[in-house]
Amino acid sequence: MSEKPVPTTGEERGDGKFPKGLVLRLFAYLVAGHLFAGFLYLLFMLGGQNH
């Protein structure tokens, strides 16, 4: 019988660590998302004062 090779997962390949590109992309999205949310908050705060 021939055994099929077991597919390697990310945990086995990187010793349980995330790939560096994924971490950088996730960090960039988090920073950009928070900046955008802060901008929207500022717009609503300034818009609410002009009544």
Side-chain angles (χ1 to χ4, degrees):
M1 282 191 154
S2 63
E3 295 182 14
K4 294 181 180 179
V6 179
T8 58
T9 62
E11 291 180 2
E12 295 170 354
R13 210 170 41 235
D15 296 329
K17 297 178 183 177
F18 288 109
K20 189 174 183 181
L22 179 65
V23 173
L24 290 176
R25 204 175 336 150
L26 181 62
F27 181 73
Y29 285 147
L30 284 173
V31 170
H34 280 86
L35 287 175
F36 183 68
F39 176 69
L40 287 180
Y41 179 77
L42 182 64
L43 283 181
F44 277 100
M45 289 302 293
L46 292 176
Q49 291 177 357
N50 297 333
H51 49 274

